[in-house]
Amino acid sequence: MERVHVSNHPLILHKLSLLRDEKTKPKKFRELVRELAILLAYEATADLALEPVDVVTPMGETQGYTLKEKIGLVPILRAGLGMVEGIWEMMPGAEVWHIGLYRDERTLRPVEYYNKLPVDPTVQVCLILDPMLATGGSAVATTNILKKWGAQRIKFVGIIAAPEGIKALTEAHPDVDIHVAAVDDHLNEIGYIVPGLGDAGDRQFGTG
Ligand code: PRP
Ligand code: URA
C-alpha cells in the first residue's frame, strides 16, 4: 500500500469535514472541492521532475528550476470538473483532457461517453481528478484509457475513497499513486461511500 497516500494535513481535514456536512450548499461545496484539490495536488506533485534553468534577477544570476515533464489534468466528468480550475492555476502549463464516464445505476459499471484524446500522447504525467473512488470502476477505466494512450506516469487525486475502490485500483494498476483526504468505512448496497458526502456531482451542480 505504499502508493496510497491519505493526507493528514490539518487544512485538508478541516475542509473535508465542512465538505461532508449535509448542510453545506453547492456554492460552498464547490469552493471546498476547489481548495481541497489544490492542497491534495500539492502533495501529489511533490515528486515531479525538475530541470535546472539559468535565472537573471535584478541583482545577478542564479540557478533555478523548471518543471521537466508535461502534465495532463484528467477530470472524470462530471464531479472531477470542480477539481480542475484551482490546480490549473498552480500549473498553468498543464493540458486538460476530459474523460466522460457515468456509473450504470444497476451494475455500477462505468459507461464511457466522452473521450477526445488525440492518437498520440501529449503529456508525460497524468493526474486523474475525481472526488470519489467508490467501487473504483471509473478510476480503473480511466487509467486503462490513459495507459492505452501512452501516458508514462499516472496519479489518482481524489477526496474520499472506499476501501473497495482502493483495492480495485491498486490491484488493476499497482503503479498508480493514489492521493486522497480520507479512506472511509465501506460502500452501501447502492455503491455509495459511507459516511462519504453523498453524491459529489449532485452536490456541486445542485442537481440532487
Ligand atoms: C461518481 C464519481 C465517480 C464515480 C465513482 O460519478 O464522481 O466518477 O461515481 O464511482 P466508482 O468508483 O464506483 O466508479 P457518477 O457516475 O455519479 O457521475 P457524475 O459525476 O456525472 O454524477
Ligand atoms: N459517487 C458519488 O458521488 N458518491 C459516492 O459515495 C459514490 C460514488
Side-chain angles (χ1 to χ4, degrees), residues 72-131:
L73 304 180
V74 185
I76 303 180
L77 304 178
R78 290 176 300 167
L81 273 180
M83 297 179 71
V84 175
E85 283 294 333
I87 300 177
W88 208 6
E89 276 173 28
M90 299 299 130
M91 43 183 98
E95 297 180 4
V96 180
W97 293 102
H98 302 83
I99 297 293
L101 298 176
Y102 70 86
R103 289 200 309 180
D104 179 295
E105 280 181 14
R106 199 175 45 83
T107 64
L108 296 183
R109 295 301 305 153
V111 180
E112 185 178 331
Y113 64 88
Y114 186 85
N115 174 355
K116 292 282 184 194
L117 291 172
V119 175
D120 295 318
T122 57
V123 298
Q124 281 108 43
V125 183
C126 285
L127 302 185
I128 299 176
L129 308 178
D130 192 331

Short mmCIF file of all heavy atoms in Angstrom, two decimals, residues 72-131:
data_model
loop_
_atom_site.label_atom_id
_atom_site.label_comp_id
_atom_site.label_asym_id
_atom_site.label_seq_id
_atom_site.Cartn_x
_atom_site.Cartn_y
_atom_site.Cartn_z
N GLY A 72 -0.73 16.46 -17.57
CA GLY A 72 -2.12 16.44 -18.04
C GLY A 72 -3.06 16.32 -16.86
O GLY A 72 -2.87 15.46 -15.99
N LEU A 73 -4.04 17.22 -16.79
CA LEU A 73 -5.09 17.10 -15.77
C LEU A 73 -6.25 16.39 -16.43
O LEU A 73 -6.73 16.81 -17.50
CB LEU A 73 -5.52 18.49 -15.27
CG LEU A 73 -4.40 19.37 -14.72
CD1 LEU A 73 -4.96 20.72 -14.25
CD2 LEU A 73 -3.66 18.66 -13.59
N VAL A 74 -6.71 15.29 -15.83
CA VAL A 74 -7.74 14.46 -16.46
C VAL A 74 -8.95 14.34 -15.54
O VAL A 74 -9.03 13.39 -14.74
CB VAL A 74 -7.17 13.07 -16.83
CG1 VAL A 74 -8.22 12.25 -17.59
CG2 VAL A 74 -5.89 13.19 -17.64
N PRO A 75 -9.87 15.31 -15.59
CA PRO A 75 -11.06 15.21 -14.75
C PRO A 75 -12.03 14.17 -15.33
O PRO A 75 -12.23 14.11 -16.54
CB PRO A 75 -11.68 16.61 -14.84
CG PRO A 75 -11.21 17.15 -16.15
CD PRO A 75 -9.85 16.54 -16.40
N ILE A 76 -12.59 13.35 -14.42
CA ILE A 76 -13.65 12.44 -14.85
C ILE A 76 -14.97 13.20 -14.67
O ILE A 76 -15.31 13.64 -13.57
CB ILE A 76 -13.66 11.14 -14.01
CG1 ILE A 76 -12.29 10.44 -14.09
CG2 ILE A 76 -14.78 10.21 -14.49
CD1 ILE A 76 -12.20 9.15 -13.27
N LEU A 77 -15.70 13.37 -15.76
CA LEU A 77 -16.98 14.10 -15.74
C LEU A 77 -18.01 13.25 -14.99
O LEU A 77 -17.98 12.02 -15.11
CB LEU A 77 -17.45 14.36 -17.16
CG LEU A 77 -16.46 15.11 -18.08
CD1 LEU A 77 -17.06 15.25 -19.48
CD2 LEU A 77 -16.10 16.45 -17.51
N ARG A 78 -18.89 13.93 -14.25
CA ARG A 78 -18.93 15.36 -14.06
C ARG A 78 -18.13 15.83 -12.85
O ARG A 78 -17.57 16.93 -12.84
CB ARG A 78 -20.38 15.79 -13.72
CG ARG A 78 -21.42 15.74 -14.73
CD ARG A 78 -22.76 16.13 -14.09
NE ARG A 78 -23.14 15.23 -13.01
CZ ARG A 78 -24.13 15.49 -12.14
NH1 ARG A 78 -24.79 16.64 -12.21
NH2 ARG A 78 -24.46 14.63 -11.21
N ALA A 79 -18.13 15.01 -11.80
CA ALA A 79 -17.69 15.52 -10.50
C ALA A 79 -16.23 15.98 -10.48
O ALA A 79 -15.86 16.86 -9.70
CB ALA A 79 -17.94 14.49 -9.41
N GLY A 80 -15.40 15.41 -11.36
CA GLY A 80 -13.99 15.80 -11.39
C GLY A 80 -13.77 17.22 -11.88
O GLY A 80 -12.71 17.81 -11.64
N LEU A 81 -14.78 17.78 -12.55
CA LEU A 81 -14.64 19.13 -13.12
C LEU A 81 -14.26 20.16 -12.07
O LEU A 81 -13.44 21.04 -12.31
CB LEU A 81 -15.96 19.57 -13.76
CG LEU A 81 -16.20 19.18 -15.21
CD1 LEU A 81 -17.57 19.70 -15.65
CD2 LEU A 81 -15.10 19.71 -16.11
N GLY A 82 -14.88 20.03 -10.89
CA GLY A 82 -14.65 21.02 -9.83
C GLY A 82 -13.24 21.00 -9.29
O GLY A 82 -12.85 21.91 -8.54
N MET A 83 -12.47 19.99 -9.62
CA MET A 83 -11.10 19.91 -9.12
C MET A 83 -10.10 20.54 -10.07
O MET A 83 -8.92 20.68 -9.75
CB MET A 83 -10.73 18.44 -8.87
CG MET A 83 -11.60 17.77 -7.80
SD MET A 83 -11.18 16.02 -7.54
CE MET A 83 -9.59 16.13 -6.73
N VAL A 84 -10.55 20.92 -11.28
CA VAL A 84 -9.60 21.37 -12.31
C VAL A 84 -9.05 22.77 -12.07
O VAL A 84 -7.84 22.98 -12.03
CB VAL A 84 -10.25 21.32 -13.72
CG1 VAL A 84 -9.31 21.90 -14.77
CG2 VAL A 84 -10.62 19.90 -14.09
N GLU A 85 -9.96 23.75 -11.93
CA GLU A 85 -9.54 25.16 -12.02
C GLU A 85 -8.44 25.55 -11.03
O GLU A 85 -7.46 26.20 -11.41
CB GLU A 85 -10.76 26.08 -11.81
CG GLU A 85 -11.67 26.17 -13.02
CD GLU A 85 -11.02 26.85 -14.23
OE1 GLU A 85 -10.09 27.68 -14.05
OE2 GLU A 85 -11.43 26.52 -15.36
N GLY A 86 -8.62 25.13 -9.77
CA GLY A 86 -7.64 25.50 -8.75
C GLY A 86 -6.27 24.93 -9.06
O GLY A 86 -5.25 25.62 -8.98
N ILE A 87 -6.24 23.65 -9.42
CA ILE A 87 -4.95 23.01 -9.73
C ILE A 87 -4.34 23.66 -10.96
O ILE A 87 -3.13 23.91 -11.01
CB ILE A 87 -5.14 21.49 -9.96
CG1 ILE A 87 -5.72 20.80 -8.73
CG2 ILE A 87 -3.82 20.86 -10.35
CD1 ILE A 87 -6.00 19.31 -8.91
N TRP A 88 -5.17 23.97 -11.93
CA TRP A 88 -4.68 24.55 -13.19
C TRP A 88 -4.02 25.91 -12.95
O TRP A 88 -3.05 26.28 -13.61
CB TRP A 88 -5.85 24.69 -14.16
CG TRP A 88 -5.47 24.61 -15.60
CD1 TRP A 88 -4.23 24.33 -16.13
CD2 TRP A 88 -6.35 24.82 -16.70
NE1 TRP A 88 -4.28 24.34 -17.49
CE2 TRP A 88 -5.58 24.63 -17.87
CE3 TRP A 88 -7.70 25.12 -16.82
CZ2 TRP A 88 -6.13 24.77 -19.14
CZ3 TRP A 88 -8.25 25.23 -18.09
CH2 TRP A 88 -7.48 25.07 -19.23
N GLU A 89 -4.56 26.66 -11.99
CA GLU A 89 -3.94 27.95 -11.66
C GLU A 89 -2.54 27.75 -11.11
O GLU A 89 -1.66 28.59 -11.30
CB GLU A 89 -4.79 28.71 -10.63
CG GLU A 89 -5.93 29.48 -11.29
CD GLU A 89 -6.88 30.07 -10.27
OE1 GLU A 89 -6.45 30.37 -9.15
OE2 GLU A 89 -8.06 30.23 -10.62
N MET A 90 -2.32 26.64 -10.40
CA MET A 90 -0.99 26.35 -9.83
C MET A 90 -0.03 25.86 -10.90
O MET A 90 1.18 25.94 -10.73
CB MET A 90 -1.09 25.26 -8.74
CG MET A 90 -1.95 25.61 -7.57
SD MET A 90 -1.34 27.05 -6.72
CE MET A 90 -2.83 28.01 -6.64
N MET A 91 -0.55 25.27 -11.97
CA MET A 91 0.32 24.75 -13.04
C MET A 91 -0.31 25.08 -14.40
O MET A 91 -0.84 24.20 -15.09
CB MET A 91 0.58 23.25 -12.88
CG MET A 91 -0.62 22.44 -12.52
SD MET A 91 -0.20 20.70 -12.27
CE MET A 91 -0.05 20.62 -10.51
N PRO A 92 -0.23 26.38 -14.79
CA PRO A 92 -0.92 26.83 -15.99
C PRO A 92 -0.41 26.21 -17.28
O PRO A 92 -1.09 26.26 -18.30
CB PRO A 92 -0.68 28.35 -15.98
CG PRO A 92 0.43 28.59 -15.02
CD PRO A 92 0.44 27.46 -14.05
N GLY A 93 0.74 25.56 -17.21
CA GLY A 93 1.27 24.89 -18.42
C GLY A 93 0.64 23.53 -18.65
O GLY A 93 0.92 22.88 -19.67
N ALA A 94 -0.21 23.08 -17.72
CA ALA A 94 -0.81 21.75 -17.87
C ALA A 94 -1.85 21.75 -18.98
O ALA A 94 -2.43 22.78 -19.31
CB ALA A 94 -1.45 21.32 -16.55
N GLU A 95 -2.06 20.56 -19.56
CA GLU A 95 -3.16 20.37 -20.51
C GLU A 95 -4.32 19.72 -19.76
O GLU A 95 -4.10 18.97 -18.81
CB GLU A 95 -2.73 19.44 -21.65
CG GLU A 95 -1.60 20.00 -22.49
CD GLU A 95 -1.19 19.04 -23.62
OE1 GLU A 95 -1.83 17.99 -23.79
OE2 GLU A 95 -0.22 19.38 -24.32
N VAL A 96 -5.55 20.01 -20.19
CA VAL A 96 -6.72 19.39 -19.54
C VAL A 96 -7.42 18.49 -20.56
O VAL A 96 -7.84 18.95 -21.62
CB VAL A 96 -7.70 20.46 -19.02
CG1 VAL A 96 -8.91 19.79 -18.36
CG2 VAL A 96 -7.01 21.38 -18.02
N TRP A 97 -7.51 17.22 -20.21
CA TRP A 97 -8.17 16.24 -21.07
C TRP A 97 -9.33 15.61 -20.31
O TRP A 97 -9.11 14.90 -19.33
CB TRP A 97 -7.16 15.16 -21.51
CG TRP A 97 -6.10 15.71 -22.41
CD1 TRP A 97 -4.81 16.02 -22.08
CD2 TRP A 97 -6.25 16.04 -23.79
NE1 TRP A 97 -4.14 16.52 -23.18
CE2 TRP A 97 -4.99 16.54 -24.24
CE3 TRP A 97 -7.31 15.96 -24.71
CZ2 TRP A 97 -4.79 16.95 -25.56
CZ3 TRP A 97 -7.09 16.37 -26.01
CH2 TRP A 97 -5.85 16.86 -26.43
N HIS A 98 -10.56 15.90 -20.77
CA HIS A 98 -11.74 15.40 -20.06
C HIS A 98 -12.07 13.97 -20.48
O HIS A 98 -11.97 13.64 -21.67
CB HIS A 98 -12.96 16.27 -20.37
CG HIS A 98 -12.78 17.71 -20.03
ND1 HIS A 98 -12.15 18.60 -20.86
CD2 HIS A 98 -13.12 18.41 -18.93
CE1 HIS A 98 -12.13 19.80 -20.30
NE2 HIS A 98 -12.71 19.71 -19.12
N ILE A 99 -12.47 13.18 -19.49
CA ILE A 99 -12.99 11.84 -19.78
C ILE A 99 -14.41 11.77 -19.22
O ILE A 99 -14.63 12.07 -18.04
CB ILE A 99 -12.11 10.74 -19.12
CG1 ILE A 99 -10.69 10.74 -19.69
CG2 ILE A 99 -12.75 9.36 -19.30
CD1 ILE A 99 -10.57 10.34 -21.16
N GLY A 100 -15.37 11.42 -20.05
CA GLY A 100 -16.76 11.34 -19.61
C GLY A 100 -17.15 9.90 -19.29
O GLY A 100 -17.11 9.04 -20.17
N LEU A 101 -17.48 9.67 -18.03
CA LEU A 101 -17.94 8.34 -17.59
C LEU A 101 -19.11 8.54 -16.65
O LEU A 101 -19.11 9.49 -15.87
CB LEU A 101 -16.85 7.60 -16.79
CG LEU A 101 -15.52 7.24 -17.44
CD1 LEU A 101 -14.61 6.61 -16.38
CD2 LEU A 101 -15.72 6.25 -18.57
N TYR A 102 -20.09 7.67 -16.70
CA TYR A 102 -21.07 7.65 -15.63
C TYR A 102 -21.25 6.21 -15.18
O TYR A 102 -20.98 5.28 -15.94
CB TYR A 102 -22.42 8.27 -16.06
CG TYR A 102 -23.20 7.46 -17.05
CD1 TYR A 102 -24.06 6.45 -16.64
CD2 TYR A 102 -23.06 7.69 -18.42
CE1 TYR A 102 -24.76 5.69 -17.56
CE2 TYR A 102 -23.76 6.93 -19.35
CZ TYR A 102 -24.60 5.94 -18.91
OH TYR A 102 -25.28 5.18 -19.82
N ARG A 103 -21.70 6.04 -13.94
CA ARG A 103 -21.91 4.69 -13.43
C ARG A 103 -23.31 4.23 -13.77
O ARG A 103 -24.28 4.93 -13.50
CB ARG A 103 -21.78 4.67 -11.90
CG ARG A 103 -20.41 4.85 -11.40
CD ARG A 103 -20.26 4.33 -9.98
NE ARG A 103 -21.23 4.83 -9.03
CZ ARG A 103 -21.25 4.48 -7.76
NH1 ARG A 103 -20.37 3.62 -7.30
NH2 ARG A 103 -22.15 4.97 -6.94
N ASP A 104 -23.39 3.06 -14.38
CA ASP A 104 -24.70 2.46 -14.60
C ASP A 104 -25.28 2.17 -13.21
O ASP A 104 -24.64 1.49 -12.39
CB ASP A 104 -24.52 1.15 -15.40
CG ASP A 104 -25.84 0.46 -15.65
OD1 ASP A 104 -26.49 0.02 -14.67
OD2 ASP A 104 -26.23 0.34 -16.81
N GLU A 105 -26.49 2.69 -12.94
CA GLU A 105 -27.05 2.59 -11.58
C GLU A 105 -27.29 1.14 -11.15
O GLU A 105 -27.24 0.83 -9.97
CB GLU A 105 -28.37 3.36 -11.51
CG GLU A 105 -28.15 4.84 -11.36
CD GLU A 105 -29.45 5.61 -11.27
OE1 GLU A 105 -30.51 4.98 -11.06
OE2 GLU A 105 -29.39 6.84 -11.40
N ARG A 106 -27.53 0.27 -12.14
CA ARG A 106 -27.86 -1.11 -11.81
C ARG A 106 -26.59 -1.95 -11.59
O ARG A 106 -26.43 -2.60 -10.57
CB ARG A 106 -28.71 -1.71 -12.95
CG ARG A 106 -29.50 -2.95 -12.59
CD ARG A 106 -30.38 -3.38 -13.75
NE ARG A 106 -29.68 -3.34 -15.04
CZ ARG A 106 -28.89 -4.32 -15.48
NH1 ARG A 106 -28.69 -5.40 -14.75
NH2 ARG A 106 -28.28 -4.22 -16.65
N THR A 107 -25.66 -1.83 -12.55
CA THR A 107 -24.46 -2.68 -12.48
C THR A 107 -23.31 -2.00 -11.73
O THR A 107 -22.35 -2.66 -11.35
CB THR A 107 -23.95 -3.01 -13.89
OG1 THR A 107 -23.55 -1.77 -14.52
CG2 THR A 107 -25.04 -3.66 -14.74
N LEU A 108 -23.39 -0.67 -11.57
CA LEU A 108 -22.32 0.16 -11.01
C LEU A 108 -21.06 0.17 -11.89
O LEU A 108 -20.02 0.67 -11.49
CB LEU A 108 -21.94 -0.27 -9.58
CG LEU A 108 -23.01 -0.13 -8.50
CD1 LEU A 108 -22.45 -0.52 -7.13
CD2 LEU A 108 -23.56 1.29 -8.44
N ARG A 109 -21.18 -0.36 -13.11
CA ARG A 109 -20.02 -0.35 -14.02
C ARG A 109 -19.96 0.99 -14.74
O ARG A 109 -21.00 1.59 -15.08
CB ARG A 109 -20.14 -1.48 -15.06
CG ARG A 109 -20.07 -2.88 -14.49
CD ARG A 109 -18.79 -3.15 -13.74
NE ARG A 109 -17.61 -2.89 -14.57
CZ ARG A 109 -16.41 -2.54 -14.11
NH1 ARG A 109 -16.22 -2.37 -12.81
NH2 ARG A 109 -15.42 -2.32 -14.94
N PRO A 110 -18.74 1.51 -15.03
CA PRO A 110 -18.64 2.79 -15.73
C PRO A 110 -19.01 2.67 -17.20
O PRO A 110 -18.68 1.68 -17.85
CB PRO A 110 -17.16 3.15 -15.58
CG PRO A 110 -16.46 1.86 -15.33
CD PRO A 110 -17.44 0.94 -14.67
N VAL A 111 -19.72 3.69 -17.70
CA VAL A 111 -20.09 3.75 -19.12
C VAL A 111 -19.38 4.98 -19.70
O VAL A 111 -19.55 6.08 -19.20
CB VAL A 111 -21.61 3.89 -19.28
CG1 VAL A 111 -21.99 3.95 -20.76
CG2 VAL A 111 -22.34 2.76 -18.57
N GLU A 112 -18.59 4.76 -20.75
CA GLU A 112 -17.82 5.87 -21.34
C GLU A 112 -18.70 6.64 -22.32
O GLU A 112 -19.38 6.04 -23.14
CB GLU A 112 -16.59 5.31 -22.06
CG GLU A 112 -15.66 6.39 -22.60
CD GLU A 112 -14.41 5.82 -23.27
OE1 GLU A 112 -13.96 4.71 -22.89
OE2 GLU A 112 -13.90 6.49 -24.18
N TYR A 113 -18.71 8.00 -22.20
CA TYR A 113 -19.49 8.79 -23.16
C TYR A 113 -18.72 9.96 -23.74
O TYR A 113 -19.20 10.63 -24.65
CB TYR A 113 -20.82 9.27 -22.54
CG TYR A 113 -20.65 10.23 -21.37
CD1 TYR A 113 -20.55 11.60 -21.56
CD2 TYR A 113 -20.62 9.74 -20.07
CE1 TYR A 113 -20.41 12.47 -20.48
CE2 TYR A 113 -20.47 10.58 -18.98
CZ TYR A 113 -20.38 11.95 -19.20
OH TYR A 113 -20.23 12.80 -18.13
N TYR A 114 -17.50 10.24 -23.24
CA TYR A 114 -16.72 11.35 -23.83
C TYR A 114 -15.23 11.05 -23.70
O TYR A 114 -14.74 10.79 -22.60
CB TYR A 114 -17.05 12.67 -23.14
CG TYR A 114 -16.37 13.85 -23.80
CD1 TYR A 114 -16.94 14.48 -24.89
CD2 TYR A 114 -15.14 14.30 -23.34
CE1 TYR A 114 -16.29 15.53 -25.52
CE2 TYR A 114 -14.49 15.36 -23.96
CZ TYR A 114 -15.08 15.97 -25.05
OH TYR A 114 -14.43 17.01 -25.67
N ASN A 115 -14.55 11.12 -24.84
CA ASN A 115 -13.10 10.91 -24.85
C ASN A 115 -12.57 11.49 -26.16
O ASN A 115 -12.83 10.95 -27.23
CB ASN A 115 -12.80 9.40 -24.78
CG ASN A 115 -11.32 9.08 -24.93
OD1 ASN A 115 -10.50 9.97 -25.18
ND2 ASN A 115 -10.98 7.81 -24.80
N LYS A 116 -11.90 12.63 -26.08
CA LYS A 116 -11.36 13.26 -27.29
C LYS A 116 -9.83 13.25 -27.27
O LYS A 116 -9.19 14.17 -27.80
CB LYS A 116 -11.86 14.72 -27.39
CG LYS A 116 -13.35 14.82 -27.66
CD LYS A 116 -13.67 14.57 -29.11
CE LYS A 116 -15.16 14.78 -29.35
NZ LYS A 116 -15.60 14.24 -30.63
N LEU A 117 -9.24 12.25 -26.63
CA LEU A 117 -7.78 12.18 -26.61
C LEU A 117 -7.28 12.00 -28.04
O LEU A 117 -7.83 11.20 -28.80
CB LEU A 117 -7.32 10.98 -25.77
CG LEU A 117 -7.54 11.07 -24.26
CD1 LEU A 117 -7.22 9.73 -23.61
CD2 LEU A 117 -6.69 12.17 -23.65
N PRO A 118 -6.21 12.74 -28.41
CA PRO A 118 -5.65 12.53 -29.74
C PRO A 118 -4.93 11.17 -29.81
O PRO A 118 -4.75 10.52 -28.78
CB PRO A 118 -4.65 13.68 -29.88
CG PRO A 118 -4.29 14.06 -28.48
CD PRO A 118 -5.49 13.74 -27.63
N VAL A 119 -4.54 10.76 -30.99
CA VAL A 119 -3.94 9.42 -31.13
C VAL A 119 -2.67 9.29 -30.30
O VAL A 119 -2.51 8.33 -29.54
CB VAL A 119 -3.64 9.13 -32.63
CG1 VAL A 119 -2.92 7.80 -32.77
CG2 VAL A 119 -4.94 9.11 -33.42
N ASP A 120 -1.78 10.27 -30.40
CA ASP A 120 -0.50 10.17 -29.68
C ASP A 120 -0.55 10.95 -28.38
O ASP A 120 -1.17 12.01 -28.30
CB ASP A 120 0.63 10.71 -30.57
CG ASP A 120 0.81 9.83 -31.80
OD1 ASP A 120 0.77 8.60 -31.65
OD2 ASP A 120 0.96 10.39 -32.90
N PRO A 121 0.15 10.45 -27.35
CA PRO A 121 0.15 11.15 -26.06
C PRO A 121 0.85 12.50 -26.18
O PRO A 121 1.83 12.64 -26.90
CB PRO A 121 0.92 10.21 -25.14
CG PRO A 121 1.74 9.36 -26.04
CD PRO A 121 1.00 9.23 -27.33
N THR A 122 0.32 13.50 -25.46
CA THR A 122 0.90 14.85 -25.49
C THR A 122 1.46 15.25 -24.12
O THR A 122 1.98 16.34 -23.97
CB THR A 122 -0.17 15.87 -25.91
OG1 THR A 122 -1.27 15.76 -24.99
CG2 THR A 122 -0.68 15.62 -27.31
N VAL A 123 1.29 14.38 -23.13
CA VAL A 123 1.77 14.67 -21.78
C VAL A 123 2.48 13.43 -21.23
O VAL A 123 2.25 12.32 -21.71
CB VAL A 123 0.61 15.05 -20.82
CG1 VAL A 123 -0.10 16.31 -21.30
CG2 VAL A 123 -0.38 13.91 -20.68
N GLN A 124 3.33 13.66 -20.23
CA GLN A 124 4.03 12.51 -19.62
C GLN A 124 3.37 12.06 -18.30
O GLN A 124 3.28 10.89 -18.01
CB GLN A 124 5.49 12.86 -19.33
CG GLN A 124 6.37 12.80 -20.55
CD GLN A 124 6.78 14.17 -21.02
OE1 GLN A 124 7.12 15.03 -20.22
NE2 GLN A 124 6.73 14.39 -22.31
N VAL A 125 2.94 13.05 -17.51
CA VAL A 125 2.34 12.73 -16.20
C VAL A 125 0.86 13.09 -16.24
O VAL A 125 0.52 14.22 -16.61
CB VAL A 125 3.02 13.54 -15.07
CG1 VAL A 125 2.44 13.15 -13.72
CG2 VAL A 125 4.52 13.34 -15.09
N CYS A 126 0.00 12.17 -15.87
CA CYS A 126 -1.44 12.47 -15.82
C CYS A 126 -1.93 12.45 -14.38
O CYS A 126 -1.62 11.50 -13.63
CB CYS A 126 -2.23 11.41 -16.60
SG CYS A 126 -2.09 11.58 -18.37
N LEU A 127 -2.67 13.47 -14.00
CA LEU A 127 -3.37 13.48 -12.71
C LEU A 127 -4.84 13.24 -12.99
O LEU A 127 -5.52 14.10 -13.58
CB LEU A 127 -3.21 14.82 -11.99
CG LEU A 127 -1.79 15.31 -11.69
CD1 LEU A 127 -1.85 16.60 -10.86
CD2 LEU A 127 -0.98 14.26 -10.96
N ILE A 128 -5.34 12.07 -12.64
CA ILE A 128 -6.78 11.79 -12.78
C ILE A 128 -7.48 12.48 -11.61
O ILE A 128 -7.09 12.31 -10.45
CB ILE A 128 -7.06 10.28 -12.72
CG1 ILE A 128 -6.35 9.55 -13.87
CG2 ILE A 128 -8.57 10.01 -12.75
CD1 ILE A 128 -6.51 8.03 -13.82
N LEU A 129 -8.49 13.28 -11.92
CA LEU A 129 -9.19 14.05 -10.89
C LEU A 129 -10.63 13.55 -10.76
O LEU A 129 -11.40 13.59 -11.74
CB LEU A 129 -9.18 15.54 -11.25
CG LEU A 129 -7.82 16.15 -11.58
CD1 LEU A 129 -7.97 17.62 -11.97
CD2 LEU A 129 -6.86 16.00 -10.40
N ASP A 130 -10.97 13.08 -9.59
CA ASP A 130 -12.35 12.65 -9.31
C ASP A 130 -12.50 12.63 -7.80
O ASP A 130 -11.71 11.95 -7.12
CB ASP A 130 -12.61 11.26 -9.90
CG ASP A 130 -14.09 10.90 -9.88
OD1 ASP A 130 -14.82 11.39 -9.00
OD2 ASP A 130 -14.51 10.12 -10.74
N PRO A 131 -13.48 13.36 -7.25
CA PRO A 131 -13.57 13.40 -5.78
C PRO A 131 -13.81 12.03 -5.15
O PRO A 131 -13.40 11.81 -4.02
CB PRO A 131 -14.76 14.33 -5.51
CG PRO A 131 -15.22 14.87 -6.80
CD PRO A 131 -14.48 14.19 -7.90
#
